[in-house]
Amino acid sequence: MHVCINITKEIFFLSVILICDLSFIKRMCSSIPRSSCALGVRTLFIAALLSVFQLSKQDCVWFGVCNTDAFNHNQYCSYNGTAKAMPNDGLNLLKERCSFLLDESQTEFCCDINQVKILNENVKLAAAILDRCPSCMSNLVRHICEFTCSANQSQFAHVAATQKNTEGVPYVSSLDLHITTEYMNKTYKSCSQVSVPQTGQLALDLMCGAYPASRCSPSKWFNYMGDVNNIYVPFQITYIQHPTNASINGTVPLNPHTFPCNKAINSLLPACSCSDCELSCPKAPPRTEFPEQFKIAGFDAYVVIMSSVYFVGVFIFLMGSFVFTQDSIIDENLTIDVNEVSNRTNFRKNTSFFENLGDKTEHFLEKVFTKWGTFFASYPWITLFAGAFLVSILGYGITFIQITTDPVQLWASPNSKSRIERDFFDTKFEPFFRIEQIIIKAVNLPNIIHKTSNGPITFGPVFHKDFLTVVFNLQEEIKNINANGTFLNDICYAPLSDEKSDINTSDCIIQSIWGYFQDDLSRLEETEEDNGFNILRVHLAK
């Protein structure tokens, strides 16, 4: 409506000017050639049209701050016009978070210095959580800078509703922001694994409204950031997704450049760490491709070859034994006196090959060890002293042996971070307590496919309700074990209990999956609905 009125006004005044000048043009044309007069009229008409277009150009949807609500939210003045020059102080403020807007020496924007200050203050809320991952923070801030100050704001941002302040000046109360699905997905992916060490949660657990990080999605995240019911949102921002950045009915969706979380945005800021970005984690070396196994007739070649060698060797041994013993036939006519010491050669016609080989080997060994024994027997003292000296030299290293039985010293280096922190803890507090673990495995149970608003998610078999019930019953039985009059509450670690009062079993620290249900079996059946899908409720201890 405002645009049409502005255009009508400009056309009206220009029409009046043209009508008033017609008499002048007519008088002037009477004194000059007709062709020159026609050219001048066309030039004047084109200049008038260009003036109308320039004066009706609408690059901005707001400019300046017009209202502050009860929650100290600032709303911006509705404005249909061109971008305005930003003073140097404002340009310096833009460099803090929106420096990319100044890459082409741009000095005119659809925001004033107060809006830039508000932008920087609001961005600090997200920066407190996401600044540990520079790529994620940069991706998110880019679209905020664009729809707040871009000189082409009207291409992707449309005012959906306005209200008037106490002075009757309209301000924007609802904005439609056209944005590409590609940008939303890439920004969400770069931030989905950012953690918050102070709480032990993911950033999206705190920034996705009613949805935890496990059930958050790009659409849910951006919709929450634009929801007027969010206490940090000054007015309704409706994100309208476009599959591409193509222009539709004059609207060009916003599609800022994004960086993967494992890439640095510039030389001054590093890429996101491994704890906040899986892509930044070192990758295992590629699996070694082994050559195809050598086979013979479809069997392992080495097994075939070694089996063949074995059977051939056995065959040669048996054949050799049979062939070389054919001439070793006992003489049946030979009589032997039992009182005589005789050799086998006395009652065989001929000795076998293996017997000759054995005799030669035995004779050689007998000769060598006889000389060896004779030498040492001839020099007993030298032998004793030399042996003792050799044993002493070889056994000297036993003096350096230190037997370690402490598992801490066996498993942790004295210079390791965990060892240093443990030593500090032991010197300031009591030593660590012994932790007992029980590992329970689900057997012959299938995986669980759970349908959610973000698509199906596959869980392991340990999440079967029947299995969790069995685990709960086992846990309760362990808690009530009676070991000759000693119970768990007599020996457990219960830091929240009063030393002067008796310790109950419920005071003992027991970490298991049932902690999500506060060790209450009835809570396992509690569910809630998420867009038509049932989800299991968990109750984290407060």
Side-chain angles (χ1 to χ4, degrees):
M1 181 64 69
H2 297 290
V3 175
C4 295
I5 293 174
N6 289 339
I7 293 176
T8 304
K9 289 180 179 179
E10 299 298 338
I11 293 176
F12 173 76
F13 287 117
L14 287 172
S15 301
V16 171
I17 293 173
L18 288 174
I19 292 172
C20 293
D21 288 345
L22 283 178
S23 58
F24 170 77
I25 294 173
K26 186 175 181 180
R27 290 194 303 271
M28 185 178 66
C29 289
S30 62
S31 60
I32 61 176
R34 182 174 297 179
S35 60
S36 299
C37 181
L39 178 62
V41 172
R42 286 197 296 268
T43 302
L44 181 62
F45 183 73
I46 293 173
L49 289 179
L50 291 176
S51 299
V52 171
F53 176 77
Q54 181 65 28
L55 291 173
S56 63
K57 188 177 180 182
Q58 309 294 321
D59 292 330
C60 303
V61 298
W62 60 39
F63 191 90
V65 182
C66 284
N67 188 62
T68 302
D69 63 12
F71 299 98
N72 204 29
H73 292 155
N74 297 285
Q75 284 98 14
Y76 303 146
C77 306
S78 179
Y79 169 70
N80 295 321
T82 58
K84 298 181 180 181
M86 177 71 70
N88 291 331
D89 292 345
L91 296 177
N92 293 330
L93 290 174
L94 279 175
K95 292 179 181 179
E96 292 184 17
R97 291 291 180 179
C98 306
S99 58
F100 66 94
L101 293 177
L102 309 175
D103 289 345
E104 297 181 358
S105 300
Q106 180 74 19
T107 59
E108 296 182 349
F109 300 95
C110 293
C111 62
D112 63 4
I113 189 171
N114 290 329
Q115 288 177 274
V116 179
K117 291 179 180 179
I118 295 171
L119 185 152
N120 289 340
E121 288 297 324
N122 292 337
V123 166
K124 288 181 180 179
L125 298 174
I129 300 175
L130 300 178
D131 248 353
R132 57 183 287 113
C133 182
S135 303
C136 160
M137 189 62 200
S138 173
N139 294 340
L140 179 63
V141 169
R142 276 180 174 264
H143 92 281
I144 300 176
C145 295
E146 288 278 8
F147 80 73
T148 302
C149 290
S150 173
N152 301 316
Q153 197 179 61
S154 61
Q155 292 183 357
F156 49 81
H158 299 157
V159 175
T162 61
Q163 295 181 10
K164 292 184 179 181
N165 60 12
T166 55
E167 298 177 357
V169 178
Y171 62 87
V172 178
S173 60
S174 179
L175 183 74
D176 289 343
L177 183 61
H178 297 262
I179 196 166
T180 62
T181 303
E182 177 188 10
Y183 167 77
M184 294 176 61
N185 290 340
K186 288 184 176 180
T187 302
Y188 173 80
K189 185 176 181 181
S190 66
C191 298
S192 60
Q193 296 175 336
V194 178
S195 60
V196 184
Q198 296 87 339
T199 62
Q201 297 175 287
L202 294 178
L204 292 182
D205 283 324
L206 308 176
M207 301 181 65
C208 203
Y211 300 97
S214 59
R215 293 191 287 117
C216 191
S217 67
S219 298
K220 293 176 180 177
W221 184 30
F222 276 79
N223 289 340
Y224 177 70
M225 288 192 294
D227 188 358
V228 71
N229 295 318
N230 184 345
I231 61 173
Y232 300 106
V233 178
F235 48 84
Q236 177 65 38
I237 303 174
T238 303
Y239 288 90
I240 301 175
Q241 300 184 43
H242 292 249
T244 64
N245 59 350
S247 175
I248 301 177
N249 297 327
T251 299
V252 181
L254 186 61
N255 188 32
H257 177 69
T258 57
F259 296 89
C261 60
N262 63 328
K263 300 294 183 181
I265 59 176
N266 54 47
S267 59
L268 301 178
L269 296 174
C272 303
S273 63
C274 176
S275 61
D276 300 315
C277 174
E278 185 178 355
L279 296 176
S280 296
C281 298
K283 297 182 179 179
R287 183 178 179 181
T288 304
E289 295 294 336
F290 295 99
E292 187 177 354
Q293 190 177 15
F294 177 47
K295 295 183 179 181
I296 297 177
F299 298 97
D300 187 357
Y302 296 103
V303 175
V304 174
I305 293 172
M306 295 307 298
S307 299
S308 301
V309 171
Y310 172 75
F311 287 113
V312 170
V314 171
F315 177 76
I316 293 175
F317 177 79
L318 294 177
M319 291 299 296
S321 300
F322 177 75
V323 171
F324 288 118
T325 56
Q326 290 299 312
D327 56 350
S328 302
I329 301 175
I330 299 175
D331 186 358
E332 297 179 356
N333 298 323
L334 180 64
T335 58
I336 301 174
D337 188 355
V338 294
N339 294 324
E340 295 180 1
V341 179
S342 59
N343 194 286
R344 285 187 176 184
T345 56
N346 294 330
F347 57 90
R348 289 181 182 271
K349 289 183 177 180
N350 296 306
T351 58
S352 67
F353 170 79
F354 290 107
E355 288 178 344
N356 289 332
L357 180 62
D359 289 339
K360 290 180 180 180
T361 303
E362 183 179 355
H363 178 70
F364 172 76
L365 295 175
E366 181 181 353
K367 184 178 180 180
V368 170
F369 284 106
T370 297
K371 290 183 177 181
W372 190 3
T374 301
F375 173 80
F376 286 115
S378 301
Y379 305 98
W381 291 108
I382 295 177
T383 301
L384 293 174
F385 281 113
F389 178 76
L390 181 62
V391 171
S392 300
I393 293 297
L394 297 178
Y396 177 70
I398 199 172
T399 58
F400 297 99
I401 291 180
Q402 295 181 355
I403 299 176
T404 302
T405 58
D406 186 354
V408 174
Q409 297 181 4
L410 289 172
W411 291 98
S413 169
N415 299 324
S416 65
K417 184 178 179 180
S418 59
R419 181 74 172 275
I420 294 174
E421 291 178 351
R422 181 188 185 279
D423 293 340
F424 175 82
F425 186 91
D426 287 349
T427 56
K428 302 297 182 181
F429 307 97
E430 296 181 1
F432 284 124
F433 288 86
R434 184 185 180 98
I435 299 175
E436 299 292 343
Q437 294 182 339
I438 298 177
I439 300 176
I440 305 173
K441 178 182 178 182
V443 180
N444 298 328
L445 289 177
N447 291 333
I448 298 175
I449 299 178
H450 181 60
K451 295 181 179 180
T452 69
S453 56
N454 290 339
I457 301 177
T458 302
F459 294 93
V462 296
F463 292 98
H464 275 275
K465 285 189 176 181
D466 294 339
F467 179 77
L468 289 176
T469 303
V470 173
V471 172
F472 175 80
N473 294 331
L474 177 61
Q475 177 177 307
E476 293 301 311
E477 292 178 3
I478 294 173
K479 290 164 64 174
N480 297 320
I481 289 179
N482 181 358
N484 298 325
T486 301
F487 295 89
L488 177 63
N489 59 319
D490 297 325
I491 60 173
C492 76
Y493 179 53
L496 300 181
S497 62
D498 188 358
E499 296 182 356
K500 298 180 180 179
S501 61
D502 295 334
I503 298 176
N504 299 319
T505 305
S506 59
D507 298 328
C508 300
I509 288 184
I510 299 176
Q511 293 182 331
S512 73
I513 191 174
W514 276 98
Y516 290 106
F517 305 96
Q518 298 182 359
D519 291 334
D520 188 348
L521 187 61
S522 62
R523 296 184 183 273
L524 186 61
E525 302 297 331
E526 295 182 3
T527 59
E528 61 185 20
E529 189 173 298
D530 175 20
N531 295 329
F533 298 93
N534 288 328
I535 60 174
L536 188 65
R537 297 179 60 185
V538 296
H539 304 263
L540 299 179
K542 297 181 180 179

